[in-house]
Amino acid sequence: MDAGDLTSCSDVFLRMIEEYGVAGRWHWSLASDEQRWSPGFFRLLGLDPAFAVARYDLFLDLLHPDDRARLASPTRIRRGEVVPEAIVRLIRPSGDLRILSVLSELRVSPEGRPLSLGGVALDVTDRERLRQLQEAEQRRRRALYLTSYTTTYTLGHDLVHRFPDEVAQVHGLALEEIQVDPFLMVVPEERTALRDRGWDRHDRHLHFQAIAHERLANGEVWRFRLVGVPAWNAAGHALGWVGMKYPVHESGAPVHGALAPGDAEMRRSLEQAVRGRHLRAARGLLDWSMTTLAEAAGLSLSSVRRLEDNAEGEGSRSRHKAVAALRRAGIRFIAMDDGAIAVAKI
């Protein structure tokens, strides 16, 4: 949501979000120079209405110096110039940095003379920070594949594999081709068997793992470990697949500089494949009772019993808590190439 979306909202909704301190409104009558700020706008700027006077130039002064030009100056406004929408950084008197989406609307007379300026501001800090983090993660993934040939991917219900663009660059293929059939990166003599096995595991919502030889754009052939895991929501509905590919030596160990599966989403999906028999095996290695596991994981005994009876959905939060408790105690759940999960104690 941006400030522009608030124009279609009711006054009740606007008052409600102002009370939460995430939005505010102002008005400036140019003829009388009267300026009014809503209580929410004072809160948004971090100002006390008992001591601060509503002035447009005060608002501009609180903006980050590099962002002030993104809004019209008082002089430009009096000339009838205004910036309708902008994203700006605000530095409150406390030093707190917030990111605002600002909507400004200039009203003019029939002759075109500026009469008043009205505005709405919405705090979009969390959204903008999330976007910045996502962009940073995309840059990291792109750089990671160019330097180590390691990447994660997702596969949704549309059956489109979402890889960074750099995967296509490294392998000398069109990204659109890889999105439809990532097995095109595999050498022809292995391609059909891996493709058939991969889609079979996908269709049956089973974990897929394999070693494949892939050809790069420079003609070199590298060994890659391919991993694909079904992802589920808390209600037990399949969301698609998450996966990873990274180069390995002949021994199967990751090539220096490559990363073994450690992506948070990937790890979470791998944990969803842990079944009741794996939990019982892990308890046996630790000589734990169900009560001990329940206490270590912060679960009820009945929750542990349901997990071991496979009565909980794949995306159950209880499963992740149980697996985390067992990991802390030294248990490792290891995905094997044939799709099985081995349980070991370190």
Side-chain angles (χ1 to χ4, degrees), residues 252-266:
V255 171
H256 178 68
L259 301 179
D263 180 84
E265 186 177 9
M266 183 74 185

mmCIF file with all atom_site columns, all heavy atoms in Angstrom, residues 252-266:
data_model
loop_
_atom_site.group_PDB
_atom_site.id
_atom_site.type_symbol
_atom_site.label_atom_id
_atom_site.label_alt_id
_atom_site.label_comp_id
_atom_site.label_asym_id
_atom_site.label_entity_id
_atom_site.label_seq_id
_atom_site.pdbx_PDB_ins_code
_atom_site.Cartn_x
_atom_site.Cartn_y
_atom_site.Cartn_z
_atom_site.occupancy
_atom_site.B_iso_or_equiv
_atom_site.pdbx_formal_charge
_atom_site.auth_seq_id
_atom_site.auth_comp_id
_atom_site.auth_asym_id
_atom_site.auth_atom_id
_atom_site.pdbx_PDB_model_num
ATOM 1  N N   . GLY A 1 252 ? 31.674 -36.407 -3.684 1.00 0.00 ? 252 GLY A N   1
ATOM 2  C CA  . GLY A 1 252 ? 30.357 -35.920 -3.292 1.00 0.00 ? 252 GLY A CA  1
ATOM 3  C C   . GLY A 1 252 ? 30.415 -34.735 -2.364 1.00 0.00 ? 252 GLY A C   1
ATOM 4  O O   . GLY A 1 252 ? 29.389 -34.123 -2.050 1.00 0.00 ? 252 GLY A O   1
ATOM 5  N N   . ALA A 1 253 ? 31.632 -34.391 -1.879 1.00 0.00 ? 253 ALA A N   1
ATOM 6  C CA  . ALA A 1 253 ? 31.777 -33.238 -0.997 1.00 0.00 ? 253 ALA A CA  1
ATOM 7  C C   . ALA A 1 253 ? 31.671 -31.949 -1.807 1.00 0.00 ? 253 ALA A C   1
ATOM 8  O O   . ALA A 1 253 ? 32.103 -31.902 -2.958 1.00 0.00 ? 253 ALA A O   1
ATOM 9  C CB  . ALA A 1 253 ? 33.118 -33.293 -0.282 1.00 0.00 ? 253 ALA A CB  1
ATOM 10 N N   . PRO A 1 254 ? 31.093 -30.887 -1.227 1.00 0.00 ? 254 PRO A N   1
ATOM 11 C CA  . PRO A 1 254 ? 30.982 -29.623 -1.957 1.00 0.00 ? 254 PRO A CA  1
ATOM 12 C C   . PRO A 1 254 ? 32.338 -29.104 -2.390 1.00 0.00 ? 254 PRO A C   1
ATOM 13 O O   . PRO A 1 254 ? 33.338 -29.235 -1.674 1.00 0.00 ? 254 PRO A O   1
ATOM 14 C CB  . PRO A 1 254 ? 30.337 -28.675 -0.933 1.00 0.00 ? 254 PRO A CB  1
ATOM 15 C CG  . PRO A 1 254 ? 29.644 -29.570 0.029  1.00 0.00 ? 254 PRO A CG  1
ATOM 16 C CD  . PRO A 1 254 ? 30.474 -30.808 0.113  1.00 0.00 ? 254 PRO A CD  1
ATOM 17 N N   . VAL A 1 255 ? 32.413 -28.549 -3.592 1.00 0.00 ? 255 VAL A N   1
ATOM 18 C CA  . VAL A 1 255 ? 33.625 -27.908 -4.079 1.00 0.00 ? 255 VAL A CA  1
ATOM 19 C C   . VAL A 1 255 ? 33.935 -26.714 -3.190 1.00 0.00 ? 255 VAL A C   1
ATOM 20 O O   . VAL A 1 255 ? 33.027 -26.036 -2.700 1.00 0.00 ? 255 VAL A O   1
ATOM 21 C CB  . VAL A 1 255 ? 33.447 -27.457 -5.548 1.00 0.00 ? 255 VAL A CB  1
ATOM 22 C CG1 . VAL A 1 255 ? 34.606 -26.600 -6.014 1.00 0.00 ? 255 VAL A CG1 1
ATOM 23 C CG2 . VAL A 1 255 ? 33.288 -28.679 -6.450 1.00 0.00 ? 255 VAL A CG2 1
ATOM 24 N N   . HIS A 1 256 ? 35.195 -26.444 -2.956 1.00 0.00 ? 256 HIS A N   1
ATOM 25 C CA  . HIS A 1 256 ? 35.587 -25.312 -2.122 1.00 0.00 ? 256 HIS A CA  1
ATOM 26 C C   . HIS A 1 256 ? 34.948 -24.031 -2.652 1.00 0.00 ? 256 HIS A C   1
ATOM 27 O O   . HIS A 1 256 ? 35.051 -23.709 -3.830 1.00 0.00 ? 256 HIS A O   1
ATOM 28 C CB  . HIS A 1 256 ? 37.108 -25.152 -2.115 1.00 0.00 ? 256 HIS A CB  1
ATOM 29 C CG  . HIS A 1 256 ? 37.576 -23.968 -1.312 1.00 0.00 ? 256 HIS A CG  1
ATOM 30 N ND1 . HIS A 1 256 ? 37.453 -23.905 0.055  1.00 0.00 ? 256 HIS A ND1 1
ATOM 31 C CD2 . HIS A 1 256 ? 38.127 -22.792 -1.697 1.00 0.00 ? 256 HIS A CD2 1
ATOM 32 C CE1 . HIS A 1 256 ? 37.936 -22.750 0.485  1.00 0.00 ? 256 HIS A CE1 1
ATOM 33 N NE2 . HIS A 1 256 ? 38.345 -22.052 -0.554 1.00 0.00 ? 256 HIS A NE2 1
ATOM 34 N N   . GLY A 1 257 ? 34.295 -23.309 -1.772 1.00 0.00 ? 257 GLY A N   1
ATOM 35 C CA  . GLY A 1 257 ? 33.622 -22.076 -2.179 1.00 0.00 ? 257 GLY A CA  1
ATOM 36 C C   . GLY A 1 257 ? 32.145 -22.277 -2.434 1.00 0.00 ? 257 GLY A C   1
ATOM 37 O O   . GLY A 1 257 ? 31.375 -21.325 -2.440 1.00 0.00 ? 257 GLY A O   1
ATOM 38 N N   . ALA A 1 258 ? 31.727 -23.534 -2.644 1.00 0.00 ? 258 ALA A N   1
ATOM 39 C CA  . ALA A 1 258 ? 30.302 -23.813 -2.816 1.00 0.00 ? 258 ALA A CA  1
ATOM 40 C C   . ALA A 1 258 ? 29.678 -24.044 -1.459 1.00 0.00 ? 258 ALA A C   1
ATOM 41 O O   . ALA A 1 258 ? 30.350 -24.386 -0.497 1.00 0.00 ? 258 ALA A O   1
ATOM 42 C CB  . ALA A 1 258 ? 30.107 -25.046 -3.695 1.00 0.00 ? 258 ALA A CB  1
ATOM 43 N N   . LEU A 1 259 ? 28.393 -23.848 -1.378 1.00 0.00 ? 259 LEU A N   1
ATOM 44 C CA  . LEU A 1 259 ? 27.684 -24.005 -0.124 1.00 0.00 ? 259 LEU A CA  1
ATOM 45 C C   . LEU A 1 259 ? 26.788 -25.216 -0.174 1.00 0.00 ? 259 LEU A C   1
ATOM 46 O O   . LEU A 1 259 ? 26.025 -25.398 -1.110 1.00 0.00 ? 259 LEU A O   1
ATOM 47 C CB  . LEU A 1 259 ? 26.833 -22.752 0.167  1.00 0.00 ? 259 LEU A CB  1
ATOM 48 C CG  . LEU A 1 259 ? 27.594 -21.425 0.262  1.00 0.00 ? 259 LEU A CG  1
ATOM 49 C CD1 . LEU A 1 259 ? 26.602 -20.295 0.516  1.00 0.00 ? 259 LEU A CD1 1
ATOM 50 C CD2 . LEU A 1 259 ? 28.623 -21.476 1.376  1.00 0.00 ? 259 LEU A CD2 1
ATOM 51 N N   . ALA A 1 260 ? 26.868 -26.040 0.843  1.00 0.00 ? 260 ALA A N   1
ATOM 52 C CA  . ALA A 1 260 ? 25.923 -27.139 0.980  1.00 0.00 ? 260 ALA A CA  1
ATOM 53 C C   . ALA A 1 260 ? 24.580 -26.561 1.383  1.00 0.00 ? 260 ALA A C   1
ATOM 54 O O   . ALA A 1 260 ? 24.482 -25.405 1.809  1.00 0.00 ? 260 ALA A O   1
ATOM 55 C CB  . ALA A 1 260 ? 26.421 -28.122 2.031  1.00 0.00 ? 260 ALA A CB  1
ATOM 56 N N   . PRO A 1 261 ? 23.488 -27.328 1.241  1.00 0.00 ? 261 PRO A N   1
ATOM 57 C CA  . PRO A 1 261 ? 22.169 -26.793 1.545  1.00 0.00 ? 261 PRO A CA  1
ATOM 58 C C   . PRO A 1 261 ? 22.097 -26.155 2.926  1.00 0.00 ? 261 PRO A C   1
ATOM 59 O O   . PRO A 1 261 ? 22.253 -26.817 3.932  1.00 0.00 ? 261 PRO A O   1
ATOM 60 C CB  . PRO A 1 261 ? 21.266 -28.029 1.448  1.00 0.00 ? 261 PRO A CB  1
ATOM 61 C CG  . PRO A 1 261 ? 21.969 -28.920 0.493  1.00 0.00 ? 261 PRO A CG  1
ATOM 62 C CD  . PRO A 1 261 ? 23.434 -28.713 0.749  1.00 0.00 ? 261 PRO A CD  1
ATOM 63 N N   . GLY A 1 262 ? 21.853 -24.852 2.981  1.00 0.00 ? 262 GLY A N   1
ATOM 64 C CA  . GLY A 1 262 ? 21.762 -24.160 4.249  1.00 0.00 ? 262 GLY A CA  1
ATOM 65 C C   . GLY A 1 262 ? 20.720 -23.059 4.191  1.00 0.00 ? 262 GLY A C   1
ATOM 66 O O   . GLY A 1 262 ? 20.497 -22.361 5.156  1.00 0.00 ? 262 GLY A O   1
ATOM 67 N N   . ASP A 1 263 ? 20.120 -22.892 3.025  1.00 0.00 ? 263 ASP A N   1
ATOM 68 C CA  . ASP A 1 263 ? 19.080 -21.899 2.851  1.00 0.00 ? 263 ASP A CA  1
ATOM 69 C C   . ASP A 1 263 ? 17.940 -22.183 3.817  1.00 0.00 ? 263 ASP A C   1
ATOM 70 O O   . ASP A 1 263 ? 17.509 -23.317 3.980  1.00 0.00 ? 263 ASP A O   1
ATOM 71 C CB  . ASP A 1 263 ? 18.587 -21.930 1.406  1.00 0.00 ? 263 ASP A CB  1
ATOM 72 C CG  . ASP A 1 263 ? 17.493 -20.919 1.161  1.00 0.00 ? 263 ASP A CG  1
ATOM 73 O OD1 . ASP A 1 263 ? 17.807 -19.758 0.896  1.00 0.00 ? 263 ASP A OD1 1
ATOM 74 O OD2 . ASP A 1 263 ? 16.315 -21.322 1.232  1.00 0.00 ? 263 ASP A OD2 1
ATOM 75 N N   . ALA A 1 264 ? 17.448 -21.138 4.497  1.00 0.00 ? 264 ALA A N   1
ATOM 76 C CA  . ALA A 1 264 ? 16.446 -21.331 5.547  1.00 0.00 ? 264 ALA A CA  1
ATOM 77 C C   . ALA A 1 264 ? 15.191 -22.006 5.012  1.00 0.00 ? 264 ALA A C   1
ATOM 78 O O   . ALA A 1 264 ? 14.651 -22.928 5.631  1.00 0.00 ? 264 ALA A O   1
ATOM 79 C CB  . ALA A 1 264 ? 16.105 -19.982 6.187  1.00 0.00 ? 264 ALA A CB  1
ATOM 80 N N   . GLU A 1 265 ? 14.715 -21.547 3.848  1.00 0.00 ? 265 GLU A N   1
ATOM 81 C CA  . GLU A 1 265 ? 13.512 -22.144 3.266  1.00 0.00 ? 265 GLU A CA  1
ATOM 82 C C   . GLU A 1 265 ? 13.768 -23.592 2.867  1.00 0.00 ? 265 GLU A C   1
ATOM 83 O O   . GLU A 1 265 ? 12.916 -24.465 3.048  1.00 0.00 ? 265 GLU A O   1
ATOM 84 C CB  . GLU A 1 265 ? 13.059 -21.325 2.065  1.00 0.00 ? 265 GLU A CB  1
ATOM 85 C CG  . GLU A 1 265 ? 11.734 -21.774 1.477  1.00 0.00 ? 265 GLU A CG  1
ATOM 86 C CD  . GLU A 1 265 ? 11.287 -20.905 0.333  1.00 0.00 ? 265 GLU A CD  1
ATOM 87 O OE1 . GLU A 1 265 ? 12.080 -20.058 -0.118 1.00 0.00 ? 265 GLU A OE1 1
ATOM 88 O OE2 . GLU A 1 265 ? 10.141 -21.070 -0.120 1.00 0.00 ? 265 GLU A OE2 1
ATOM 89 N N   . MET A 1 266 ? 14.973 -23.836 2.340  1.00 0.00 ? 266 MET A N   1
ATOM 90 C CA  . MET A 1 266 ? 15.339 -25.191 1.940  1.00 0.00 ? 266 MET A CA  1
ATOM 91 C C   . MET A 1 266 ? 15.391 -26.108 3.150  1.00 0.00 ? 266 MET A C   1
ATOM 92 O O   . MET A 1 266 ? 14.866 -27.231 3.148  1.00 0.00 ? 266 MET A O   1
ATOM 93 C CB  . MET A 1 266 ? 16.704 -25.140 1.248  1.00 0.00 ? 266 MET A CB  1
ATOM 94 C CG  . MET A 1 266 ? 17.177 -26.471 0.725  1.00 0.00 ? 266 MET A CG  1
ATOM 95 S SD  . MET A 1 266 ? 16.260 -26.917 -0.750 1.00 0.00 ? 266 MET A SD  1
ATOM 96 C CE  . MET A 1 266 ? 16.905 -28.553 -1.026 1.00 0.00 ? 266 MET A CE  1
#
